[in-house]
């Protein structure tokens, strides 16, 4: 059997909940649906679906396999579509949204280079940390941190960012250097707000496989990271931020990394675009461009 075809049948069976409904949707027999699923299960040597006379349910392995199959098949479709559209020049307005820190630091320089390469494309880049429904608000590409739970979106994982803690030498000379994460509880911390309702924040560090969380407090909180960075440089507290943004400042001596023997959190960033229909030429080109720059 063709593995990609079996994956497609498995995806449809997982979404529709029965072999009979899948058979009707794909215009094949229920027995053929079962053969495709059994082929995958035999190949993987594990169950993907728990089947009873009334219903079927994905196993834990089946849920993970389902999500990866969707990505694989979408990439196959994208490859076919890109090959067919090679002679078409990307053009028109592309609406993109991204978190504020990532968008202003990592994405903005790529957008400029992309526009130079594709002169017939316009980009409207909206930076916000609130959750956005791309269908309701008309975004064709969006970037999100963490796990993607929306099955209507195709996710392209980008390289995760490592988060580190820093403070100015002036602050550390006055208030001391935290040696373990729990010491942060008595320090002035500069807190990035993911929502206006949050007043405190939990910072997380790992050493020798053991993770420690500490609730930090501070007099300055903001939903924009860059005022916090300015405050850190002025000696007003300890800041948590992406290593790739802070490393150059650390080299100048204006900031010093604290708890450097601990592993800070990593933030997984995903590039997302709607599934279902074949992406337009402009979306395809943008996804490929960003993936080559920031992907694995």
């Amino acid at each position: 059997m063709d593995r990609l075809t079996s994956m497609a049948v498995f995806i449809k069976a997982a979404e529709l909940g029965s072999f009979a409904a899948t058979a009707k949707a794909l215009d094949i027999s229920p027995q053929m649906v079962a053969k495709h699923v059994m082929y995958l299960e035999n190949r993987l040597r594990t169950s993907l679906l728990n089947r009873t006379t009334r219903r079927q349910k994905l196993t834990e392995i089946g849920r993970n396999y389902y999500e990866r199959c969707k990505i694989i098949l979408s990439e196959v479709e994208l490859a076919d579509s890109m090959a067919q559209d090679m002679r078409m020049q990307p053009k028109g307005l592309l609406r993109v949204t991204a978190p504020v820190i990532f968008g202003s630091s990592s994405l903005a320089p790529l957008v400029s280079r992309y526009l130079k390469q594709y002169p017939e494309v316009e980009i409207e880049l909206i930076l916000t940390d609130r959750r956005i429904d791309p269908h309701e608000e008309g975004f064709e590409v969006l970037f999100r941190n963490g796990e993607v739970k929306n099955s209507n979106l195709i996710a392209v994982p980008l390289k995760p960012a490592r988060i580190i803690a820093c403070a100015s030498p002036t602050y550390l000379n006055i208030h001391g250097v935290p040696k373990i994460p729990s010491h942060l509880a008595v320090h002035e911390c500069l807190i990035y707000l993911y929502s206006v309702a949050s007043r405190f924040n939990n910072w997380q560090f790992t050493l020798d496989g053991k993770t420690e969380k500490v609730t930090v407090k501070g007099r300055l909180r903001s939903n924009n990271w860059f005022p916090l960075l300015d405050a850190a440089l002025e000696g007003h507290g300890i800041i948590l931020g992406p290593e790739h943004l802070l490393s150059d400042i650390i080299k100048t001596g204006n900031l010093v990394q604290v708890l450097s023997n601990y592993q800070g959190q990593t933030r997984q960033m995903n590039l997302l675009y709607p599934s279902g229909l074949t992406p337009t030429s402009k979306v395809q080109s943008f996804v490929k461009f960003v993936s080559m720059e920031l992907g694995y």
Side-chain angles (χ1 to χ4, degrees):
M1 284 188 170
D2 178 74
R3 197 193 319 178
L4 292 179
T5 301
S6 295
M7 285 181 177
V9 174
F10 165 68
I11 288 172
K12 185 64 71 174
E15 292 175 345
L16 296 182
S18 76
F19 285 179
T22 304
K24 184 176 181 180
L26 298 179
D27 196 23
I28 58 177
S29 68
Q31 292 78 13
M32 182 56 68
V33 173
K35 285 183 179 180
H36 280 292
V37 175
M38 289 178 62
Y39 164 74
L40 294 176
E41 290 180 329
N42 290 336
R43 189 176 185 282
L44 298 170
R45 299 180 182 179
T46 190
S47 295
L48 299 174
L49 291 166
N50 289 324
R51 296 180 284 277
T52 66
T53 55
R54 293 187 175 183
R55 59 180 297 184
Q56 62 187 36
K57 186 178 180 181
L58 287 168
T59 64
E60 182 178 2
I61 294 176
R63 285 194 299 272
N64 291 328
Y65 190 69
Y66 164 79
E67 295 297 337
R68 299 309 300 178
C69 283
K70 287 182 67 177
I71 293 173
I72 290 168
L73 291 183
S74 70
E75 288 296 325
V76 170
E77 291 178 4
L78 179 59
D80 289 345
S81 179
M82 290 183 72
Q84 294 169 3
D85 294 343
M86 280 184 66
R87 295 182 181 178
M88 294 180 59
Q89 179 70 21
K91 61 179 65 176
L93 176 63
L94 178 64
R95 300 192 74 232
V96 180
T97 182
V100 176
I101 298 177
F102 172 81
S104 56
S105 62
S106 299
L107 184 60
L110 297 188
V111 168
S112 296
R113 296 203 294 272
Y114 172 84
L115 290 173
K116 188 176 294 185
Q117 185 169 331
Y118 296 96
E120 294 188 54
V121 177
E122 303 172 29
I123 288 184
E124 185 175 290
L125 177 61
I126 304 300
L127 303 184
T128 178
D129 291 321
R130 70 178 177 85
R131 283 297 204 195
I132 282 180
D133 186 320
H135 298 287
E136 288 186 2
E137 301 191 37
F139 287 100
E140 296 170 276
V141 176
L142 60 159
F143 295 82
R144 281 185 184 165
N145 286 306
E147 183 182 0
V148 179
K149 298 180 179 180
N150 191 336
S151 61
N152 294 320
L153 297 172
I154 302 298
V156 179
L158 305 179
K159 292 178 182 176
R162 181 180 174 230
I163 306 302
I164 62 175
C166 296
S168 72
T170 301
Y171 175 87
L172 296 175
N173 287 336
I174 296 173
H175 300 279
V177 180
K179 301 297 184 183
I180 58 176
S182 60
H183 288 173
L184 293 172
V186 297
H187 276 269
E188 186 73 17
C189 294
L190 302 162
I191 299 173
Y192 184 75
L193 296 176
Y194 287 94
S195 71
V196 294
S198 62
R199 296 190 58 192
F200 305 101
N201 204 0
N202 290 322
W203 291 4
Q204 181 175 305
F205 299 87
T206 301
L207 180 64
D208 297 330
K210 182 179 179 181
T211 297
E212 185 174 348
K213 293 182 180 179
V214 56
T215 299
V216 298
K217 301 178 183 179
R219 291 185 299 141
L220 178 59
R221 301 177 292 276
S222 176
N223 66 343
N224 189 313
W225 185 77
F226 293 98
L228 302 178
L229 177 60
D230 290 338
L233 291 168
E234 291 294 327
H236 294 303
I238 298 175
I239 189 171
L240 203 66
E243 182 179 33
H244 72 276
L245 290 182
L246 294 169
S247 58
D248 288 341
I249 304 175
I250 292 171
K251 291 176 184 177
T252 67
N254 291 321
L255 288 178
V256 176
Q257 183 179 353
V258 299
L259 301 172
S260 58
N261 55 323
Y262 285 81
Q263 177 71 39
Q265 285 182 280
T266 56
R267 299 256 173 89
Q268 176 63 57
M269 181 63 66
N270 296 291
L271 182 158
L272 309 171
Y273 58 95
S275 62
L277 299 176
T278 301
T280 61
S281 166
K282 62 187 177 185
V283 170
Q284 293 174 13
S285 62
F286 188 76
V287 169
K288 181 179 179 181
F289 189 89
V290 174
S291 298
M292 291 180 65
E293 295 280 348
L294 300 178
Y296 287 93

